[in-house]
Amino acid sequence: MRLKLVRENTKFDFFSRWKLWLGISMLMVVIGFTSYAIQGLNFGIDFRGGTTIRTESTQPVVIGEYRAALDTLNLGDISITEVFDPNFRADQNVAMIRIQAQEGQEAVEVDTIVQVEAALQTIDPGMKFPSVESVGPKVSGELIKTAALAVVLAIGAVLIYIWLRFEWQFALGAVAALVHDVVLTIGVFSELQIKFDLAIIAALLTIVGYSLNDTVVVFDRVRENLRKYKKKELAEVLNISINETLSRTVMTSVTTLLALIALFVLGGDVIRGFVFAMIWGVIVGTYSSVFVASTILLYLGVKRDWSKPDANAGNQFANIDA
Protein backbone atom coordinates (compact mmCIF):
# COMPACT_ATOMS: atom_id res chain seq x y z
CA MET A 1 0.00 0.00 0.00
CA ARG A 2 1.56 3.26 -1.16
CA LEU A 3 1.58 6.38 0.97
CA LYS A 4 -0.25 9.25 -0.73
CA LEU A 5 -0.11 12.72 0.75
CA VAL A 6 -2.19 14.10 -2.13
CA ARG A 7 -5.00 12.19 -3.80
CA GLU A 8 -4.84 11.56 -7.53
CA ASN A 9 -6.48 13.82 -10.11
CA THR A 10 -6.83 16.85 -7.87
CA LYS A 11 -8.64 19.83 -9.35
CA PHE A 12 -7.80 22.71 -7.02
CA ASP A 13 -8.33 26.19 -8.43
CA PHE A 14 -5.15 28.03 -7.43
CA PHE A 15 -5.94 31.21 -9.32
CA SER A 16 -9.50 32.04 -8.34
CA ARG A 17 -8.01 34.42 -5.74
CA TRP A 18 -4.62 35.07 -7.29
CA LYS A 19 -4.78 38.77 -6.43
CA LEU A 20 -5.22 37.88 -2.74
CA TRP A 21 -2.18 35.54 -2.73
CA LEU A 22 -0.07 38.08 -4.56
CA GLY A 23 -1.21 40.79 -2.14
CA ILE A 24 -0.27 38.63 0.86
CA SER A 25 3.18 38.01 -0.62
CA MET A 26 3.72 41.71 -1.27
CA LEU A 27 2.61 42.56 2.26
CA MET A 28 5.05 40.03 3.75
CA VAL A 29 7.86 41.42 1.60
CA VAL A 30 7.08 44.96 2.81
CA ILE A 31 7.07 43.75 6.44
CA GLY A 32 10.43 42.06 5.87
CA PHE A 33 11.96 45.20 4.35
CA THR A 34 10.52 47.35 7.15
CA SER A 35 11.88 45.07 9.86
CA TYR A 36 15.30 45.08 8.22
CA ALA A 37 15.27 48.88 7.90
CA ILE A 38 14.28 49.41 11.54
CA GLN A 39 16.08 46.59 13.39
CA GLY A 40 18.68 45.36 10.95
CA LEU A 41 20.19 41.90 11.30
CA ASN A 42 21.73 40.34 14.39
CA PHE A 43 25.10 39.66 12.77
CA GLY A 44 27.25 36.90 14.20
CA ILE A 45 31.00 36.98 14.68
CA ASP A 46 31.62 36.30 10.97
CA PHE A 47 30.16 39.71 10.09
CA ARG A 48 30.86 41.67 13.29
CA GLY A 49 34.47 40.83 13.83
CA GLY A 50 35.92 39.08 16.84
CA THR A 51 38.51 36.61 18.07
CA THR A 52 38.83 32.85 17.58
CA ILE A 53 40.63 30.82 20.26
CA ARG A 54 41.65 27.23 19.55
CA THR A 55 41.77 24.99 22.62
CA GLU A 56 43.37 21.60 23.08
CA SER A 57 42.65 19.30 26.01
CA THR A 58 43.10 15.69 27.04
CA GLN A 59 39.55 15.71 28.43
CA PRO A 60 36.48 15.37 26.19
CA VAL A 61 34.97 18.63 25.00
CA VAL A 62 31.66 19.30 26.77
CA ILE A 63 30.23 22.42 25.14
CA GLY A 64 27.81 23.03 28.02
CA GLU A 65 30.68 23.17 30.53
CA TYR A 66 32.71 25.48 28.29
CA ARG A 67 29.75 27.84 27.86
CA ALA A 68 28.98 27.86 31.60
CA ALA A 69 32.60 28.76 32.39
CA LEU A 70 32.52 31.69 29.93
CA ASP A 71 29.04 33.03 30.73
CA THR A 72 30.34 34.69 33.90
CA LEU A 73 32.59 36.96 31.78
CA ASN A 74 29.62 38.61 29.96
CA LEU A 75 31.37 38.73 26.61
CA GLY A 76 28.24 38.72 24.47
CA ASP A 77 28.00 36.39 21.47
CA ILE A 78 30.19 33.30 21.97
CA SER A 79 30.29 30.35 19.58
CA ILE A 80 31.79 27.03 20.70
CA THR A 81 32.33 24.13 18.30
CA GLU A 82 34.24 20.89 18.69
CA VAL A 83 36.78 20.11 15.97
CA PHE A 84 37.01 16.55 14.62
CA ASP A 85 39.97 15.26 12.63
CA PRO A 86 40.98 11.64 11.95
CA ASN A 87 44.63 12.65 12.42
CA PHE A 88 44.08 13.68 16.05
CA ARG A 89 45.46 11.50 18.82
CA ALA A 90 43.01 9.56 20.95
CA ASP A 91 43.50 12.03 23.83
CA GLN A 92 43.56 15.14 21.63
CA ASN A 93 40.26 17.05 22.02
CA VAL A 94 40.09 20.34 20.15
CA ALA A 95 37.50 23.11 20.24
CA MET A 96 37.12 26.47 18.50
CA ILE A 97 35.76 29.37 20.59
CA ARG A 98 34.70 32.53 18.78
CA ILE A 99 34.09 35.71 20.77
CA GLN A 100 32.53 38.80 19.22
CA ALA A 101 34.46 42.08 19.24
CA GLN A 102 33.38 44.31 22.10
CA GLU A 103 31.77 47.69 21.45
CA GLY A 104 34.28 50.21 20.05
CA GLN A 105 37.12 47.67 19.79
CA GLU A 106 38.81 46.18 16.75
CA ALA A 107 39.07 42.78 18.44
CA VAL A 108 38.98 41.18 21.84
CA GLU A 109 41.56 42.74 24.19
CA VAL A 110 44.53 40.76 25.47
CA ASP A 111 43.28 40.99 29.06
CA THR A 112 39.96 39.50 28.01
CA ILE A 113 41.70 36.62 26.23
CA VAL A 114 43.68 35.93 29.41
CA GLN A 115 40.41 35.84 31.38
CA VAL A 116 38.88 33.43 28.85
CA GLU A 117 41.87 31.10 29.07
CA ALA A 118 41.80 31.20 32.88
CA ALA A 119 38.06 30.41 32.92
CA LEU A 120 38.53 27.44 30.60
CA GLN A 121 41.45 26.12 32.65
CA THR A 122 39.08 25.71 35.59
CA ILE A 123 37.63 22.80 33.56
CA ASP A 124 41.04 21.38 32.67
CA PRO A 125 44.15 22.98 34.24
CA GLY A 126 46.29 21.41 31.51
CA MET A 127 44.29 22.94 28.64
CA LYS A 128 46.45 24.49 25.92
CA PHE A 129 45.66 27.31 23.49
CA PRO A 130 47.62 26.67 20.26
CA SER A 131 46.32 29.68 18.35
CA VAL A 132 44.42 32.94 18.79
CA GLU A 133 43.18 34.76 15.67
CA SER A 134 41.27 38.02 15.34
CA VAL A 135 38.95 39.27 12.60
CA GLY A 136 38.53 43.04 12.46
CA PRO A 137 35.45 45.00 11.32
CA LYS A 138 37.06 45.74 7.94
CA VAL A 139 37.34 42.05 7.04
CA SER A 140 33.83 41.46 8.36
CA GLY A 141 32.50 44.27 6.16
CA GLU A 142 34.12 42.65 3.14
CA LEU A 143 32.46 39.35 4.05
CA ILE A 144 29.04 41.05 4.11
CA LYS A 145 29.62 42.51 0.65
CA THR A 146 30.88 39.19 -0.71
CA ALA A 147 27.93 37.29 0.76
CA ALA A 148 25.42 39.77 -0.71
CA LEU A 149 27.17 39.54 -4.09
CA ALA A 150 27.00 35.73 -3.98
CA VAL A 151 23.22 35.80 -3.48
CA VAL A 152 22.71 38.42 -6.23
CA LEU A 153 24.89 36.50 -8.70
CA ALA A 154 23.01 33.27 -7.94
CA ILE A 155 19.67 34.94 -8.67
CA GLY A 156 21.12 36.54 -11.82
CA ALA A 157 22.37 33.16 -13.05
CA VAL A 158 18.89 31.74 -12.47
CA LEU A 159 17.37 34.56 -14.53
CA ILE A 160 19.65 33.78 -17.49
CA TYR A 161 19.13 30.01 -17.17
CA ILE A 162 15.34 30.20 -17.13
CA TRP A 163 15.34 32.81 -19.91
CA LEU A 164 17.36 30.48 -22.16
CA ARG A 165 15.43 27.35 -21.24
CA PHE A 166 11.93 28.83 -21.39
CA GLU A 167 11.03 32.45 -22.20
CA TRP A 168 11.45 35.79 -20.50
CA GLN A 169 8.01 35.59 -18.85
CA PHE A 170 9.02 32.33 -17.13
CA ALA A 171 12.34 33.88 -16.11
CA LEU A 172 10.71 36.88 -14.46
CA GLY A 173 8.25 34.63 -12.62
CA ALA A 174 11.05 32.39 -11.32
CA VAL A 175 13.24 35.31 -10.23
CA ALA A 176 10.29 37.03 -8.53
CA ALA A 177 9.75 33.82 -6.53
CA LEU A 178 13.45 33.63 -5.58
CA VAL A 179 13.62 37.28 -4.50
CA HIS A 180 10.40 36.70 -2.52
CA ASP A 181 11.98 33.72 -0.72
CA VAL A 182 15.28 35.49 0.06
CA VAL A 183 13.61 38.69 1.28
CA LEU A 184 11.18 36.79 3.53
CA THR A 185 14.02 34.71 4.99
CA ILE A 186 16.10 37.81 5.75
CA GLY A 187 12.95 39.47 7.10
CA VAL A 188 12.17 36.69 9.56
CA PHE A 189 15.78 36.69 10.78
CA SER A 190 15.53 40.45 11.30
CA GLU A 191 12.15 40.25 13.02
CA LEU A 192 13.18 37.44 15.41
CA GLN A 193 16.77 38.75 15.76
CA ILE A 194 18.23 35.30 15.15
CA LYS A 195 22.01 35.30 14.72
CA PHE A 196 22.93 35.86 11.07
CA ASP A 197 26.29 34.42 10.02
CA LEU A 198 27.97 32.75 7.04
CA ALA A 199 25.99 29.54 7.61
CA ILE A 200 22.79 31.49 6.91
CA ILE A 201 24.27 32.72 3.61
CA ALA A 202 24.84 29.06 2.71
CA ALA A 203 21.21 28.39 3.65
CA LEU A 204 20.01 31.27 1.43
CA LEU A 205 21.90 29.86 -1.56
CA THR A 206 20.48 26.41 -0.84
CA ILE A 207 16.97 27.89 -0.65
CA VAL A 208 17.51 29.52 -4.06
CA GLY A 209 18.40 26.12 -5.54
CA TYR A 210 15.52 24.32 -3.82
CA SER A 211 12.91 26.87 -4.85
CA LEU A 212 14.23 26.95 -8.42
CA ASN A 213 14.02 23.17 -8.69
CA ASP A 214 10.36 23.18 -7.69
CA THR A 215 9.57 26.10 -10.00
CA VAL A 216 11.27 24.47 -12.99
CA VAL A 217 9.26 21.25 -12.49
CA VAL A 218 6.02 23.25 -12.59
CA PHE A 219 7.15 25.35 -15.56
CA ASP A 220 8.15 22.25 -17.52
CA ARG A 221 4.65 20.87 -17.12
CA VAL A 222 3.14 24.26 -18.01
CA ARG A 223 5.10 24.36 -21.26
CA GLU A 224 4.02 20.82 -22.14
CA ASN A 225 0.37 21.58 -21.42
CA LEU A 226 0.44 24.85 -23.36
CA ARG A 227 1.16 22.76 -26.45
CA LYS A 228 -1.32 20.07 -25.43
CA TYR A 229 -4.27 22.35 -24.56
CA LYS A 230 -4.04 25.08 -27.17
CA LYS A 231 -7.59 26.33 -26.72
CA LYS A 232 -7.76 26.41 -22.94
CA GLU A 233 -7.31 29.66 -21.04
CA LEU A 234 -3.84 30.22 -19.55
CA ALA A 235 -5.21 30.13 -15.98
CA GLU A 236 -6.80 26.74 -16.67
CA VAL A 237 -3.57 25.37 -18.13
CA LEU A 238 -1.65 26.61 -15.08
CA ASN A 239 -4.16 24.97 -12.74
CA ILE A 240 -3.90 21.66 -14.61
CA SER A 241 -0.08 21.80 -14.53
CA ILE A 242 0.15 22.60 -10.81
CA ASN A 243 -2.38 19.89 -9.92
CA GLU A 244 -0.44 17.34 -11.98
CA THR A 245 2.79 18.15 -10.14
CA LEU A 246 1.19 18.74 -6.73
CA SER A 247 1.84 15.24 -5.40
CA ARG A 248 5.54 15.51 -6.25
CA THR A 249 5.78 19.00 -4.73
CA VAL A 250 4.12 18.01 -1.46
CA MET A 251 6.05 14.74 -1.12
CA THR A 252 9.40 16.47 -1.72
CA SER A 253 8.64 19.27 0.73
CA VAL A 254 7.33 16.98 3.48
CA THR A 255 10.25 14.53 3.31
CA THR A 256 12.73 17.43 3.32
CA LEU A 257 10.98 19.00 6.31
CA LEU A 258 11.07 15.70 8.24
CA ALA A 259 14.85 15.60 7.97
CA LEU A 260 15.21 19.31 8.79
CA ILE A 261 12.92 19.17 11.83
CA ALA A 262 14.94 16.23 13.18
CA LEU A 263 18.13 18.27 12.76
CA PHE A 264 16.52 21.32 14.36
CA VAL A 265 15.46 19.35 17.44
CA LEU A 266 18.51 17.10 17.81
CA GLY A 267 21.30 18.96 16.00
CA GLY A 268 22.23 21.39 18.76
CA ASP A 269 22.92 25.13 18.80
CA VAL A 270 25.72 25.07 16.25
CA ILE A 271 23.49 24.33 13.24
CA ARG A 272 20.11 25.47 14.59
CA GLY A 273 20.14 28.82 12.79
CA PHE A 274 21.07 27.17 9.49
CA VAL A 275 18.36 24.53 9.86
CA PHE A 276 15.73 27.12 10.82
CA ALA A 277 16.57 29.07 7.66
CA MET A 278 16.20 25.89 5.61
CA ILE A 279 12.83 25.00 7.19
CA TRP A 280 11.50 28.48 6.54
CA GLY A 281 12.95 28.42 3.03
CA VAL A 282 11.31 25.11 2.12
CA ILE A 283 7.92 26.40 3.28
CA VAL A 284 8.07 29.77 1.49
CA GLY A 285 9.81 28.19 -1.52
CA THR A 286 6.97 25.73 -2.01
CA TYR A 287 4.43 28.53 -1.57
CA SER A 288 6.20 30.87 -4.01
CA SER A 289 6.50 28.24 -6.76
CA VAL A 290 2.70 28.10 -6.94
CA PHE A 291 1.42 31.46 -5.76
CA VAL A 292 4.21 33.80 -6.90
CA ALA A 293 6.05 32.35 -9.91
CA SER A 294 2.90 30.96 -11.56
CA THR A 295 0.85 34.06 -10.74
CA ILE A 296 3.47 36.32 -12.33
CA LEU A 297 3.39 34.04 -15.37
CA LEU A 298 -0.40 34.33 -15.49
CA TYR A 299 -0.17 38.13 -15.39
CA LEU A 300 2.54 38.39 -18.07
CA GLY A 301 1.16 35.65 -20.30
CA VAL A 302 3.03 33.41 -22.77
CA LYS A 303 2.78 32.45 -26.41
CA ARG A 304 0.57 29.41 -26.92
CA ASP A 305 2.62 27.71 -29.64
CA TRP A 306 6.36 28.31 -29.98
CA SER A 307 6.49 26.63 -33.40
CA LYS A 308 4.57 29.53 -35.00
CA PRO A 309 6.06 33.04 -35.06
CA ASP A 310 2.61 34.62 -35.03
CA ALA A 311 1.12 32.46 -32.29
CA ASN A 312 -1.61 33.88 -30.11
CA ALA A 313 -0.30 35.70 -27.06
CA GLY A 314 -1.44 35.03 -23.54
CA ASN A 315 -2.11 38.73 -22.96
CA GLN A 316 -0.79 42.16 -23.87
CA PHE A 317 2.70 41.49 -22.46
CA ALA A 318 3.37 38.20 -24.27
CA ASN A 319 4.21 39.68 -27.68
CA ILE A 320 7.72 40.63 -26.53
CA ASP A 321 10.18 37.84 -27.36
CA ALA A 322 13.41 37.24 -25.47
Side-chain angles (χ1 to χ4, degrees):
M1 184 177 183
R2 293 187 303 167
L3 173 64
K4 294 182 180 179
L5 298 180
V6 178
R7 62 182 176 85
E8 294 180 356
N9 302 318
T10 56
K11 295 182 179 180
F12 298 116
D13 187 355
F14 293 97
F15 299 101
S16 60
R17 298 183 178 180
W18 66 272
K19 292 182 180 179
L20 173 64
W21 302 124
L22 204 57
I24 291 174
S25 294
M26 292 177 65
L27 177 62
M28 293 176 68
V29 168
V30 170
I31 292 173
F33 269 119
T34 304
S35 177
Y36 176 77
I38 295 175
Q39 298 188 115
L41 292 170
N42 179 20
F43 288 117
I45 296 171
D46 296 327
F47 296 130
R48 273 177 158 175
T51 297
T52 300
I53 302 174
R54 183 183 177 96
T55 71
E56 186 175 322
S57 174
T58 57
Q59 299 181 13
V61 175
V62 181
I63 293 178
E65 292 182 359
Y66 280 45
R67 191 174 298 280
L70 298 177
D71 280 346
T72 58
L73 302 178
N74 297 318
L75 297 177
D77 186 17
I78 297 177
S79 173
I80 305 172
T81 57
E82 185 173 2
V83 179
F84 297 95
D85 192 315
N87 296 319
F88 286 166
R89 303 184 309 273
D91 63 344
Q92 187 176 7
N93 301 288
V94 178
M96 298 294 289
I97 300 173
R98 295 187 296 176
I99 306 169
Q100 72 176 41
Q102 306 303 297
E103 194 69 30
Q105 299 177 8
E106 286 287 318
V108 178
E109 293 182 342
V110 176
D111 291 344
T112 303
I113 294 175
V114 172
Q115 292 177 17
V116 169
E117 293 177 352
L120 291 172
Q121 284 177 334
T122 60
I123 301 172
D124 177 13
M127 184 179 294
K128 299 178 181 178
F129 305 94
S131 65
V132 178
E133 300 176 352
S134 295
V135 177
K138 183 177 180 181
V139 175
S140 299
E142 291 175 356
L143 283 176
I144 295 175
K145 293 178 182 177
T146 304
L149 180 61
V151 175
V152 171
L153 289 178
I155 294 177
V158 167
L159 174 65
I160 296 172
Y161 166 72
I162 300 294
W163 197 322
L164 293 175
R165 178 167 178 175
F166 298 98
E167 284 195 342
W168 68 271
Q169 297 94 333
F170 290 87
L172 290 182
V175 168
L178 296 183
V179 172
H180 169 274
D181 299 342
V182 171
V183 170
L184 290 193
T185 303
I186 293 175
V188 77
F189 269 78
S190 173
E191 185 65 31
L192 301 179
Q193 287 296 290
I194 302 173
K195 186 172 65 175
F196 194 92
D197 53 23
L198 284 176
I200 308 306
I201 298 299
L204 287 176
L205 295 174
T206 306
I207 290 167
V208 168
Y210 182 92
S211 179
L212 174 64
N213 177 64
D214 199 25
T215 302
V216 167
V217 169
V218 174
F219 280 179
D220 260 331
R221 187 58 58 89
V222 169
R223 186 168 59 174
E224 292 173 7
N225 286 335
L226 283 172
R227 292 191 174 103
K228 184 177 179 181
Y229 305 108
K230 295 182 180 180
K231 294 185 178 181
K232 291 183 182 293
E233 294 290 333
L234 180 57
E236 190 174 354
V237 174
L238 287 169
N239 268 322
I240 292 172
S241 304
I242 295 171
N243 277 287
E244 288 177 351
T245 57
L246 187 60
S247 178
R248 178 261 176 205
T249 298
V250 173
M251 183 63 76
T252 302
S253 298
V254 170
T255 51
T256 304
L257 285 173
L258 287 175
L260 290 173
I261 291 171
L263 284 173
F264 185 80
V265 175
L266 304 173
D269 293 336
V270 176
I271 63 170
R272 188 155 289 154
F274 172 84
V275 176
F276 174 80
M278 286 298 302
I279 292 173
W280 176 258
V282 168
I283 294 172
V284 298
T286 303
Y287 168 86
S288 67
S289 296
V290 176
F291 295 107
V292 177
S294 299
T295 301
I296 295 294
L297 185 60
L298 175 64
Y299 177 72
L300 295 176
V302 290
K303 290 190 301 183
R304 303 309 302 269
D305 187 351
W306 289 273
S307 64
K308 299 178 182 179
D310 298 322
N312 293 327
N315 61 22
Q316 69 270 29
F317 295 99
N319 294 317
I320 304 173
D321 291 326

